[in-house]
């Protein structure tokens, strides 16, 4: 598993997501379990480890006030100019997730390239280094790539504050990266943390949370909400060579940070896609006041021919960080395992949902495990 864990005690503003990536591995052999915890040896980690203190402020701490951000920004610039730190080597934390594809294990964070990880026979964890797929992967990649269990292909994207705001790409079953597909029809920089695939499509959500490139340069918050914006879902053929066939559909008030799964549905007069995802109901609080965030898992169905959108709540509980059996990625699945926020990011338990029950208008929770008073867990 992967997660944020600051190498040094933060000396200024700190956000939970700003910690250095730390991997945990449990090896079970001959009835004995061995636990190993190691930092991902990113460029940032190594430079700061040598210096003995933190050098680079991180993305999310920008929420903690303009003056402090500006001061940190000028300090960072000075460190870059004096050669203490070279951003060309990456500024990522590799702290969000792990992905196994192309016969490699990667530690991922969306602000950088993946880092290749090796597990040794005795259960130790080694960082082999930053990986650019023979020079074909630029700048960054989502921390939530999707692997099709049937074809072995992997689908991914990157997003950023300058056009194209979204770039889609895929890897074949050997892990070779295929050409970029820039999506210029996304006309504003959106906070695009995750997406979904089906057997035919890649599905992106252009939500009410956007990036503020101008404010970011001035040391302000990198991300902000726009309540006047109408959220959209973009559906692109997953083997598209360009964006000419992308279709965008208005889905008012849909703000998803994580996707759970999606699939294609045949209907009489054309195709439909179904997306399962937690919808953040209080978008204005998303990053500044996480304790006020409530995410309700929804099933969204889009008729690709008529554009007709139907939506169904799967659970009214505050749920996120959900997982499914990976054999069902891109295919109709039945069960979902999601974290209960009490409030987020304090996770007080896990629920099992049967999404099929939503069609019968029944309560979809079929199992629940609470961790008990004063106990909190990580993401499922």
């Amino acid at each position: 598993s992967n997660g944020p864990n600051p190498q040094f005690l933060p000396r200024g503003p700190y956000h939970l997501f700003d910690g250095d990536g730390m991997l945990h591995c449990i090896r079970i052999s001959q009835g004995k379990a061995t636990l190993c915890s190691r930092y991902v040896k990113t460029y940032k980690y190594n430079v700061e480890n040598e210096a003995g203190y933190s050098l680079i402020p991180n993305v999310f701490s920008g929420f903690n006030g303009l003056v402090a951000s500006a001061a940190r920004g000028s300090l960072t610039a000075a460190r870059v100019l004096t050669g203490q730190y070279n951003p060309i080597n990456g500024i990522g934390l590799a702290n969000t997730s792990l992905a196994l594809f192309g016969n490699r294990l990667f530690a991922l964070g969306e602000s950088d390239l993946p880092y290749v990880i090796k597990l040794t026979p005795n259960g130790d964890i080694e960082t082999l280094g930053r990986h650019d797929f023979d020079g074909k992967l630029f700048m960054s990649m989502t921390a939530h790539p999707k692997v099709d269990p049937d074809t072995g292909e992997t689908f991914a994207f990157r997003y950023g504050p300058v056009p194209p705001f979204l770039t889609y790409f895929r890897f074949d079953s050997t892990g070779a990266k295929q050409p970029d597909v820039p999506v210029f029809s996304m006309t504003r920089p959106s906070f695009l943390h995750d997406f979904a695939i089906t057997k035919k499509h890649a599905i992106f959500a252009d939500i009410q949370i956007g990036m503020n490139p101008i404010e970011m340069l001035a040391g302000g918050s990198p991300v902000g909400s726009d309540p006047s914006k109408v959220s959209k879902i973009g559906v692109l053929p997953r083997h598209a060579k360009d964006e000419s066939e992308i279709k965008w559909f208005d889905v008012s008030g849909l703000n998803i940070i994580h996707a759970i799964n999606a699939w294609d549905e045949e209907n009489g007069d054309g195709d439909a896609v179904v997306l399962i995802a937690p919808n953040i109901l209080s978008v204005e609080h998303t990053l500044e006041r996480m304790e006020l965030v409530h995410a309700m898992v929804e099933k969204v169905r889009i008729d690709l021919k008529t554009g007709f959108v139907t939506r169904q709540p799967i659970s009214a509980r505050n749920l996120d960080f959900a997982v499914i059996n990976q054999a069902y990625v891109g295919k109709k699945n039945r069960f979902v395992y999601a974290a209960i926020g009490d409030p987020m990011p304090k996770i007080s338990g896990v629920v099992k949902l049967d999404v099929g029950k939503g069609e019968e208008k029944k309560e979809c929770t079929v199992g629940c495990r609470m961790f008990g008073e004063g106990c909190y867990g990580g993401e499922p």
Side-chain angles (χ1 to χ4, degrees), residues 26-100:
I26 296 174
R27 180 176 179 265
I28 299 170
S29 175
Q30 295 173 333
K32 280 188 175 175
T34 309
L35 170 68
C36 178
S37 297
R38 296 275 184 239
Y39 279 110
V40 184
K41 302 297 194 298
T42 60
Y43 173 69
K44 175 186 182 295
Y45 173 88
N46 288 334
V47 169
E48 294 185 339
N49 191 262
E50 216 170 285
Y53 53 89
S54 60
L55 281 163
I56 299 297
N58 282 311
V59 173
F60 290 101
S61 49
F63 295 117
N64 295 286
L66 197 61
V67 178
S69 300
R72 281 199 312 284
S74 56
L75 187 61
T76 304
R79 284 168 176 161
V80 169
L81 290 171
T82 56
Q84 248 186 307
Y85 196 92
N86 185 353
I88 283 173
N89 295 321
I91 56 162
L93 301 155
N95 70 1
T96 308
S97 66
L98 288 161
L100 179 65

Side-chain angles (χ1 to χ4, degrees), residues 98-293:
L98 288 161
L100 179 65
F101 65 93
N103 212 21
R104 286 187 173 99
L105 179 65
F106 297 103
L108 303 169
E110 68 189 36
S111 60
D112 205 341
L113 300 181
Y115 275 81
V116 183
I117 302 300
K118 180 187 173 188
L119 295 179
T120 67
N122 68 349
D124 204 347
I125 304 165
E126 289 176 6
T127 304
L128 299 185
R130 205 163 166 251
H131 192 70
D132 68 1
F133 296 87
D134 300 321
K136 291 179 181 163
L137 184 62
F138 310 106
M139 307 280 288
S140 64
M141 180 176 118
T142 176
H144 294 295
K146 306 291 180 238
V147 180
D148 185 312
D150 300 329
T151 67
E153 298 166 287
T154 301
F155 302 85
F157 68 93
R158 68 174 174 271
Y159 73 102
V162 292
F165 300 120
L166 166 63
T167 302
Y168 167 68
F169 48 89
R170 64 189 174 90
F171 304 86
D172 69 17
S173 56
T174 69
K177 184 181 174 293
Q178 305 305 297
D180 280 350
V181 178
V183 179
F184 288 98
S185 55
M186 181 179 269
T187 54
R188 289 160 69 183
S190 189
F191 182 61
L192 230 166
H193 180 70
D194 195 3
F195 79 131
I197 61 159
T198 70
K199 283 293 177 188
K200 295 182 190 171
H201 303 100
I203 299 170
F204 297 95
D206 184 4
I207 64 173
Q208 289 174 305
I209 304 167
M211 301 179 79
N212 305 330
I214 308 301
E215 276 187 45
M216 207 146 75
L217 292 172
S221 169
V223 181
S225 63
D226 177 3
S228 66
K229 178 177 170 181
V230 176
S231 298
K232 289 181 166 61
I233 285 180
V235 181
L236 177 71
R238 76 178 200 176
H239 287 130
K241 299 270 192 290
D242 57 50
E243 67 164 328
S244 59
E245 289 180 76
I246 197 167
K247 290 180 177 173
W248 289 98
F249 303 91
D250 288 356
V251 188
S252 186
L254 185 75
N255 290 293
I256 67 172
I257 301 239
H258 292 112
I260 298 173
N261 197 25
W263 60 81
D264 300 303
E265 245 177 35
E266 303 293 330
N267 57 9
D269 45 337
D271 291 338
V273 294
V274 174
L275 171 69
I276 309 275
N279 180 21
I280 293 162
L281 302 180
S282 44
V283 69
E284 64 278 10
H285 302 307
T286 306
L287 292 158
E288 291 94 333
R289 299 281 308 274
M290 271 187 88
E291 73 277 9
L292 298 177
V293 168

